[in-house]
Amino acid sequence: MDRYKTFLPAILAALILLVWSSTFIVNEWQTAIKLRLGEIIGSDYPPGLHFKIPLLNDIKLFDRRIQTLDSSPQRYLTVEQKAVIVDSYVKWRVADPAQYFRSTSGSASRTSKLLSERIGGSLREEFGRRTIQEVVSEDRVEMMADLTKKADLQANALGVEVIDVRIKKIDLPPEVSESVYMRMRAERERVASDLRAKGKEAGERIRADADRQRTVTLADAYKESELARGEGDAKATDIYAAAYSADPDFYAFYRSLNAYRGAFGAGGDMMVLQPESEFFRFFRNQAGKPQ
């Protein structure tokens, strides 16, 4: 009995070691595959305690949280054969642990390299179909959505899921920046010239219309004034005719007085007339002699 007590700690230790080597734990942020002599016999174990055969089974644990692949800036060509330097990153996670292990042996560095190659090729293709203006405009959002879908399809072979592909920054090489700025400046100057030409044309049109309206207004006013003057002259003529008809002698005398006022009122004038002329008929007395 004492001999059993002597070996009891060793037996308990052996049992504990056997239980410990026969189980494995998968945490909440992990996924696992089970290997038997290098062959996958189980995969995608949920979090919790699981069992294995010691020495015969091997367990590979992988982080299933979203990973970030931050690539170094790469140089791509647009459809205009203009170089751009693109800084991008990728969000990915393990989707199929078994395929992930077959494709990359569970190496995160190998996965990053393979993803970089695939996404780099997709970026090169997308930039090669667009102009510089398109890649820096709102079309970039659509381009990133297309890149994410395409990269996710390509990453299925690696057993990973691409969550998102984002472009952080797009820069132009120094040799390209100046030509792009010059072209943008020329385009802005062309637009400004068009606007100035349109404004000048509109101004000329407005001035011409104003001149036309002024001419028409003056012509209408002159016409109305002439009509009013004609009507006034006609009324004056009618009044004079009526007055002359009422008393011809008085009218003749009145007209003569106006003529005398016009002839002698200024002073310093000299006229040579016969005393018996009709102009002096009101200066003669009843006997016909001048006064």
Side-chain angles (χ1 to χ4, degrees):
M1 191 68 179
D2 293 336
R3 187 176 57 184
Y4 290 138
K5 289 181 180 180
T6 303
F7 291 105
L8 184 60
I11 295 172
L12 291 176
L15 288 175
I16 292 173
L17 180 63
L18 178 64
V19 172
W20 178 80
S21 61
S22 300
T23 60
F24 63 95
I25 297 174
V26 179
N27 294 310
E28 291 289 339
W29 63 87
Q30 292 177 320
T31 185
I33 60 173
K34 182 189 292 185
L35 303 176
R36 183 175 61 195
L37 301 178
E39 179 185 359
I40 299 174
I41 59 174
S43 64
D44 201 12
Y45 286 92
L49 181 66
H50 303 277
F51 294 95
K52 65 178 181 176
I53 300 175
L55 302 178
L56 186 63
N57 295 141
D58 188 19
I59 304 301
K60 299 292 183 181
L61 297 173
F62 308 116
D63 194 336
R64 66 174 183 177
R65 291 174 294 187
I66 295 177
Q67 308 292 321
T68 300
L69 171 60
D70 196 353
S71 303
S72 58
Q74 300 294 322
R75 189 184 184 102
Y76 302 107
L77 292 176
T78 65
V79 70
E80 308 157 306
Q81 296 302 307
K82 299 293 186 180
V84 291
I85 299 175
V86 181
D87 189 5
S88 62
Y89 69 90
V90 182
K91 293 290 186 180
W92 65 276
R93 65 183 174 188
V94 177
D96 186 346
Q99 183 62 28
Y100 176 68
F101 181 76
R102 295 189 192 99
S103 302
T104 65
S105 300
S107 171
S109 60
R110 179 173 173 78
T111 303
S112 298
K113 180 180 178 182
L114 293 174
L115 278 177
S116 296
E117 292 175 354
R118 285 165 169 75
I119 294 172
S122 299
L123 281 169
R124 186 173 294 104
E125 180 182 350
E126 290 295 330
F127 276 90
R129 295 192 295 109
R130 290 175 167 83
T131 64
I132 291 180
Q133 184 176 1
E134 290 174 342
V135 298
V136 299
S137 65
E138 295 180 356
D139 293 342
R140 187 169 63 176
V141 177
E142 180 182 353
M143 182 179 69
M144 288 188 293
D146 294 340
L147 278 172
T148 301
K149 292 179 182 179
K150 187 178 296 185
D152 186 44
L153 290 176
Q154 294 175 347
N156 286 339
L158 303 178
V160 301
E161 176 188 3
V162 174
I163 305 299
D164 196 10
V165 178
R166 288 287 164 179
I167 296 174
K168 294 190 292 184
K169 185 171 61 174
I170 299 177
D171 290 328
L172 297 175
E175 65 273 13
V176 178
S177 299
E178 186 63 26
S179 63
V180 171
Y181 295 150
M182 290 295 293
R183 187 174 63 182
M184 292 173 64
R185 186 180 298 113
E187 177 66 19
R188 293 297 94 194
E189 289 177 353
R190 184 190 64 80
V191 172
S193 297
D194 290 343
L195 292 175
R196 281 193 292 267
K198 291 179 180 178
K200 185 177 180 180
E201 179 184 357
E204 292 293 337
R205 186 167 56 249
I206 292 171
R207 280 191 290 271
D209 185 64
D211 291 341
R212 182 189 61 80
Q213 293 183 13
R214 174 179 175 273
T215 302
V216 171
T217 302
L218 290 175
D220 291 341
Y222 180 76
K223 177 183 176 182
E224 291 178 2
S225 67
E226 289 299 318
L227 289 175
R229 186 178 292 110
E231 292 176 357
D233 291 342
K235 289 182 179 180
T237 302
D238 291 341
I239 293 171
Y240 290 148
Y244 181 77
S245 300
D247 192 344
D249 293 335
F250 176 77
Y251 184 73
F253 176 70
Y254 178 75
R255 291 290 300 274
S256 296
L257 289 179
N258 286 334
Y260 297 154
R261 185 182 295 110
F264 305 122
D269 295 331
M270 180 180 294
M271 292 187 300
V272 180
L273 297 172
Q274 291 289 337
E276 294 82 7
S277 66
E278 185 66 21
F279 184 74
F280 294 110
R281 65 190 181 94
F282 289 105
F283 285 86
R284 293 192 292 270
N285 54 19
Q286 295 181 354
K289 299 292 183 180
Q291 295 180 354

